[in-house]
């Protein structure tokens, strides 16, 4: 079943108006978390409950993957977009100030009715680890740019029940933002390389996730700690790399790998040496490739597909085909440092947009209209479907293998 074009407009809306890298990196460059405090923070909050085995069910909704979880005692519902590069876990809180509050599907979290809620005082290690903090009546307040927009609120701790884990965690209790809507969820669940992401706070040395194909309705899963394992164990790991355009480009929240090459079927795609860094992302559904690589890939894909591209396309898409005419579409193979080969089948890059049309869900990085995006590739969530990704934070490696994500648990 195809996605109605209206849903794609939501994608364009979410993606193009609020999520361009230019906004994000400019913001993060200016407000980035301090380095070096991560160690001080590690394990401070959370060791109590997780016991190394955390399984978090996630589901697809409105072009993002979400986790439902609860905060507080008694528990109140929250839902967050799973953001692999996200800085923190945050949710909107009452009282959110009037128009500064975006519409969400569930009631606002109300700290006043949680007996375990604690606003973080100023001057603590946690508070000091937030670069854009300020102090108001001895409460630590903060501002953070997220993939959806600018947010501000109280740095707080409370009991969060995320999947099979329940622990006292730090989160952002957001009372103001410039976000109009996120189409349902109340915030984000950030997994990024920062002191107060879910991954860092749970003090795990590994995590993995496996995204079920978005159109199957099957559940996806995030595994934290000992539950994060690949079945085969025979895939080559690739090192997580640490290349940045500049020390403060804000991209150090991301998990990054080094691209050695791309093939479309057996045809190699030229990749400029300066454009080999790949950011892994679960917020963007589409991938972005540096323009030179993108143009070469587009050409190679067109040459293998016998049907001519459609004359009209939904907004945002650059290349579409009649659904019935793409049988010759090649697998794309991305090879990362260490000969780790990631196979992206046509079903992961030709998105069914309805009306008998499929479109290339890989775009040019030039679309991000940002100098910070020069030379960057981003691997989006559609291209990651049915591939299990394992991040080993001790060895600083990424491994992956094809999987039936909906059948893992
Ligand atoms: C956090 O993890 C590290 C590495 O496994 C371990 O040495 C440390 O004791 C953990 N800290 C806590 C508070 O659990
Ligand atoms: C997540 O929570 C929302 C709002 O309560 C609910 O409609 C939805 O069914 C839940 N989804 C899952 C997979 O639990
Ligand atoms: C902190 O708050 C004070 C008072 O509102 C304000 O003057 C100051 O600019 C703020 N500092 C930062 C870094 O935002
Ligand atoms: C998707 O987003 C739209 C627009 O914000 C919203 O009206 C709709 O309820 C959302 N759908 C789901 C399944 O959350
Ligand atoms: C990245 O590299 C810089 C400079 O070599 C280093 O100071 C920093 O700790 C590295 N960061 C990570 C996450 O490895
Ligand atoms: C691209 O960036 C330039 C300079 O910041 C800006 O003037 C222009 O409007 C942007 N174009 C789009 C399509 O966002």
């Amino acid at each position: 079943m195809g996605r109605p074009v209206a849903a794609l407009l939501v994608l364009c809306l979410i993606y193009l108006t609020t999520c361009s890298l230019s906004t994000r990196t400019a913001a993060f460059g200016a407000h980035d978390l301090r380095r070096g405090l991560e160690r001080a923070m590690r394990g401070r909050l959370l060791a109590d409950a997780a016991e190394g085995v955390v399984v978090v069910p996630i589901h697809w909704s409105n072009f993002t993957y979400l986790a439902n979880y609860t905060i507080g005692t008694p528990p109140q519902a929250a839902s967050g977009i799973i953001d692999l590069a996200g800085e923190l876990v945050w949710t909107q809180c009452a009282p959110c100030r009037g128009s500064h509050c975006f519409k969400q599907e569930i009631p606002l979290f109300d700290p006043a009715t949680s007996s375990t809620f604690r606003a973080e005082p100023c001057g603590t290690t946690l508070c000091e680890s937030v670069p854009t903090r300020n102090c108001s009546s001895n409460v630590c307040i903060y501002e953070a740019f997220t993939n959806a927009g600018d947010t501000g609120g109280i740095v707080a701790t409370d009991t969060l029940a995320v999947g099979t884990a329940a622990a006292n965690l730090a989160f952002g209790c957001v009372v103001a933002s410039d976000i109009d809507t996120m189409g349902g969820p109340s915030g984000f669940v950030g997994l990024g390389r920062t002191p107060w992401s879910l991954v860092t706070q749970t003090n795990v040395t590994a995590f993995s996730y496996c995204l079920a194909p978005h159109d199957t309705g099957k559940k996806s899963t995030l595994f934290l700690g000992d539950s994060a394992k690949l079945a085969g164990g025979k895939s080559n790991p690739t090192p997580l790399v640490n290349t940045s355009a500049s020390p403060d480009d804000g991209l150090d929240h991301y998990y990054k790998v080094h691209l050695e090459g791309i093939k479309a079927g057996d045809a190699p795609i030229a990749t400029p040496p300066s454009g080999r860094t790949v950011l892994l992302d679960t917020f963007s559904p589409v991938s972005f490739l540096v323009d030179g690589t993108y143009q070469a890939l587009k050409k190679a894909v067109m040459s293998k597909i016998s049907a001519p591209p459609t004359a009209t396309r939904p907004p945002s898409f650059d290349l579409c085909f009649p659904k019935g005419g793409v049988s010759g579409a090649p697998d794309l193979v991305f090879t990362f440092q260490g000969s780790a080969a990631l196979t992206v089948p046509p079903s992961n890059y030709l998105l069914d947009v309805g009306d008998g049309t499929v479109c290339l869900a890989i775009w040019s990085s030039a679309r991000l209209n940002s100098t910070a995006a020069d030379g960057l590739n981003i691997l989006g969530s559609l291209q990651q479907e049915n591939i299990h990704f394992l991040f080993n934070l001790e060895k600083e490696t990424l491994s992956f293998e094809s999987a039936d994500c909906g059948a893992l648990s």
Side-chain angles (χ1 to χ4, degrees):
M1 285 293 287
R3 278 268 151 188
V5 169
L8 286 165
L9 290 175
V10 172
L11 158 75
C12 307
L13 212 73
I14 294 178
Y15 204 79
L16 293 180
T17 65
T18 59
C19 317
S20 78
L21 256 194
S22 55
T23 309
R24 183 176 189 178
T25 51
F28 279 179
H31 303 296
D32 210 1
L33 283 178
R34 289 186 179 174
R35 293 208 180 96
L37 285 164
E38 181 166 341
R39 257 165 231 289
M41 286 292 303
R42 266 188 171 256
R44 169 182 175 272
L45 297 163
L46 320 248
D48 49 305
E51 285 175 4
V53 180
V54 181
V55 177
V56 182
I58 57 191
H59 59 278
W60 169 266
S61 174
N62 265 345
F63 284 92
T64 55
Y65 285 91
L66 306 182
N68 284 356
Y69 63 100
T70 65
I71 308 184
T73 312
Q76 300 178 39
S79 60
I81 293 175
I82 298 288
D83 184 5
L84 184 60
E87 180 178 344
L88 75 159
V89 178
W90 64 267
T91 193
Q92 285 195 123
C93 280
C96 193
R97 285 186 278 119
S99 64
H100 296 296
C101 193
F102 62 83
K103 196 164 166 282
Q104 62 182 51
E105 230 168 34
I106 48 179
L108 288 173
F109 170 68
D110 183 2
T113 63
S114 171
S115 63
T116 39
F117 177 88
R118 183 167 164 273
E120 189 71 10
C122 302
T124 62
T125 312
L126 169 60
C127 182
E128 297 286 314
S129 73
V130 180
T132 51
R133 69 185 176 279
N134 208 332
C135 193
S136 171
S137 312
N138 198 34
V139 169
C140 186
I141 59 175
Y142 81 103
E143 184 186 359
F145 281 79
T146 74
N147 251 325
D150 190 7
T151 59
I154 298 167
V155 177
T157 57
D158 203 341
T159 300
L160 270 70
V162 187
T164 53
N168 190 41
L169 294 178
F171 70 104
C173 182
V174 166
V175 295
S177 74
D178 64 5
I179 301 168
D180 292 332
T181 178
M182 298 206 305
S186 64
F188 271 55
V189 173
L191 307 179
R193 307 184 69 116
T194 71
W196 57 328
S197 74
L198 182 67
V199 165
T200 307
Q201 288 196 61
T202 47
N203 197 24
V204 293
T205 53
F207 70 97
S208 71
Y209 63 83
C210 199
L211 304 177
H214 64 280
D215 49 6
T216 58
K218 291 187 178 165
K219 85 173 163 50
S220 304
T221 314
L222 167 69
F223 301 92
L224 294 163
D226 291 346
S227 59
K229 282 189 189 75
L230 299 186
K234 58 181 162 46
S235 71
N236 287 336
T238 187
L240 293 171
V241 298
N242 180 12
T243 42
S244 286
S246 69
D248 271 331
D249 63 5
L251 300 178
D252 51 4
H253 294 184
Y254 279 88
Y255 299 91
K256 290 176 272 195
V257 293
H258 182 79
L259 180 68
E260 280 177 349
I262 305 179
K263 280 184 167 180
D266 46 19
I269 305 298
T271 52
S274 61
R276 301 264 174 98
T277 301
V278 178
L279 313 184
L280 289 130
D281 194 16
T282 57
F283 178 74
S284 170
V286 301
S287 291
F288 293 88
L289 297 178
V290 297
D291 193 60
T293 307
Y294 170 74
Q295 298 302 342
L297 179 86
K298 181 179 165 185
K299 221 179 193 173
V301 168
M302 284 171 75
S303 75
K304 298 270 163 95
I305 294 181
S306 51
T310 58
T312 58
R313 299 180 298 272
S316 303
F317 289 98
D318 188 26
L319 183 65
C320 300
F321 297 95
K323 191 177 173 181
V326 294
S327 53
D331 282 351
L332 305 180
V333 180
F334 292 74
T335 303
F336 301 112
Q337 186 178 349
S339 304
L342 180 79
T343 300
V344 177
S347 56
N348 280 18
Y349 70 84
L350 292 174
L351 178 67
D352 189 335
V353 298
D355 296 332
T357 304
V358 296
C359 296
L360 186 59
I362 298 176
W363 297 353
S364 166
S365 294
R367 299 274 290 280
L368 295 168
N369 196 21
S370 157
T371 50
D374 285 353
L376 287 183
N377 306 284
I378 298 173
L379 190 69
S381 65
L382 291 168
Q383 283 70 55
Q384 298 177 33
E385 290 176 354
N386 269 348
I387 301 168
H388 191 175
F389 290 89
L390 171 67
F391 296 78
N392 183 324
L393 303 176
E394 255 171 359
K395 296 184 178 153
E396 287 284 322
T397 58
L398 170 68
S399 308
F400 44 80
E401 67 184 13
S402 296
D404 179 359
C405 294
L408 293 182
S409 59

